[in-house]
Amino acid sequence: MRKNSLKIKFIVSLAALSLVSFQSCKQRDDWPVFDVTPKMPDDQIVVVDNDKTWYVETLESKGNTFFKTFIRDSISTLGAGITYASIQFIDGLDQVQLIHIVEADLNNPNVGVVSMTPFGEQFPNLQVLSAMAKDNDGKGGKIIAAINGDNWAASTTNAYGNPSNGFVNFGKVMKGWVNSTTNITRPYLAVKKSGEVFIGNTQNNTTSPFVWIEQTEFEHQVSGPTWVNYAAWLNTANTDLIVRSFVGINEAENKLYFVVNEGKRPGTAIGIGAPNMAR
């Protein structure tokens, strides 16, 4: 996405024992007053958050069973048409979760979507996402948020990896995409040469037929491994898949959502499987 400008941890205090020792003694009138309130390190202070974002209000109002206990959240503006929010909560399995969300208003002319290549070069390779964003910064605009897409398979014949499915970068087809039963149910994010941003394909081509679109119509395309949800359909099958990141779209408002689920940080988050993330 681009923009042209841009614990809880119990502390058991021993003060109570000290008070018991001194309560029968007379205290001098000039005895200094000490603050005996136990102090928590700054990174362990829990602030009661009563000003909830609309994300939290929506989850609570819908009675979402996976969203059990609200802890805290925050929301801020990164730029015109771009906001960032974080939500920490206890889930239905009594586990702590932390989710990051970047909302991009595609109605804003300064906000758009591009696909990125490793090292900013027009060939397939492997690179850490944060470094990839730096190498692509300025190409098509300032990189505000990025998310990993598709699977990159290590090649056995050369030093490079290759995206598993369709990939188009600035109108150049980096990975051909054939019309097949598998591909037609595999999700992808695309930007047409007309500027339209959309998520393509379907989770079930029988009940929700999809019209095939040729890659020559795309300016950008990144495929994905699986659906989290599709219209009213929720992913309930892939219980072995832990969702790290995904992208969603509100078609009615033309807004795009980059969502990252924090995982495997003790006391902060535990990770979420595909069915629960869908909920």
Side-chain angles (χ1 to χ4, degrees), residues 12 22 35 38 40 48 81 94 100 110 114 121 133 152 159-161 168 195 199 217 228 236 252 259 262 279:
V12 180
F22 287 106
D35 182 4
M40 297 179 70
V48 177
D94 291 320
H100 307 274
N110 288 331
V114 299
E121 300 292 340
W152 288 67
Y160 304 129
V168 180
I199 296 176
E217 295 186 34
V228 173
T236 58
V259 183
E262 194 93 31
R279 292 164 60 189

Side-chain angles (χ1 to χ4, degrees), residues 24-68:
S24 62
C25 300
K26 177 176 172 49
Q27 182 172 300
R28 288 172 46 182
D29 294 336
D30 61 344
W31 189 260
V33 177
F34 298 101
D35 182 4
V36 295
T37 304
K39 300 295 184 182
M40 297 179 70
D42 290 342
D43 64 347
Q44 295 178 356
I45 294 176
V46 177
V47 178
V48 177
D49 188 346
N50 294 317
D51 187 15
K52 301 176 182 178
T53 63
W54 69 267
Y55 296 103
V56 172
E57 291 178 343
T58 299
L59 289 168
E60 291 182 332
S61 67
K62 291 181 177 295
N64 192 301
T65 56
F66 189 67
F67 190 87
K68 184 176 180 180

Side-chain angles (χ1 to χ4, degrees), residues 22-214:
F22 287 106
Q23 68 177 7
S24 62
C25 300
K26 177 176 172 49
Q27 182 172 300
R28 288 172 46 182
D29 294 336
D30 61 344
W31 189 260
V33 177
F34 298 101
D35 182 4
V36 295
T37 304
K39 300 295 184 182
M40 297 179 70
D42 290 342
D43 64 347
Q44 295 178 356
I45 294 176
V46 177
V47 178
V48 177
D49 188 346
N50 294 317
D51 187 15
K52 301 176 182 178
T53 63
W54 69 267
Y55 296 103
V56 172
E57 291 178 343
T58 299
L59 289 168
E60 291 182 332
S61 67
K62 291 181 177 295
N64 192 301
T65 56
F66 189 67
F67 190 87
K68 184 176 180 180
T69 306
F70 168 72
I71 297 179
R72 58 175 173 261
D73 64 358
S74 66
I75 190 165
S76 60
T77 299
L78 300 181
I82 303 172
T83 61
Y84 161 74
S86 66
I87 305 171
Q88 190 174 39
F89 62 97
I90 302 297
D91 66 22
L93 301 176
D94 291 320
Q95 302 172 135
V96 63
Q97 304 288 358
L98 177 61
I99 296 180
H100 307 274
I101 306 168
V102 172
E103 178 193 82
D105 186 352
L106 299 175
N107 299 299
N108 189 301
N110 288 331
V111 177
V113 179
V114 299
S115 55
M116 297 189 299
T117 55
F119 306 103
E121 300 292 340
Q122 294 287 340
F123 59 84
N125 206 332
L126 302 176
Q127 186 183 25
V128 176
L129 187 62
S130 58
M132 191 187 300
K134 291 179 181 178
D135 285 339
N136 284 267
D137 207 0
K139 297 181 179 181
K142 176 74 176 176
I143 303 294
I144 301 297
I147 211 164
N148 58 302
D150 206 350
N151 298 308
W152 288 67
S155 173
T156 57
T157 58
N158 55 52
Y160 304 129
N162 292 281
S164 302
N165 301 285
F167 179 39
V168 180
N169 179 247
F170 288 97
K172 179 180 176 61
V173 179
M174 309 296 292
K175 176 71 174 182
W177 195 45
V178 297
N179 189 333
S180 68
T181 302
T182 300
N183 279 342
I184 220 166
T185 58
R186 188 180 297 277
Y188 67 85
L189 175 65
V191 182
K192 285 187 176 181
K193 291 182 177 179
S194 63
E196 178 188 357
V197 180
F198 70 101
I199 296 176
N201 278 6
T202 175
Q203 54 83 29
N204 189 318
N205 196 50
T206 300
T207 57
S208 303
F210 172 74
V211 177
W212 184 263
I213 302 176
E214 294 296 331

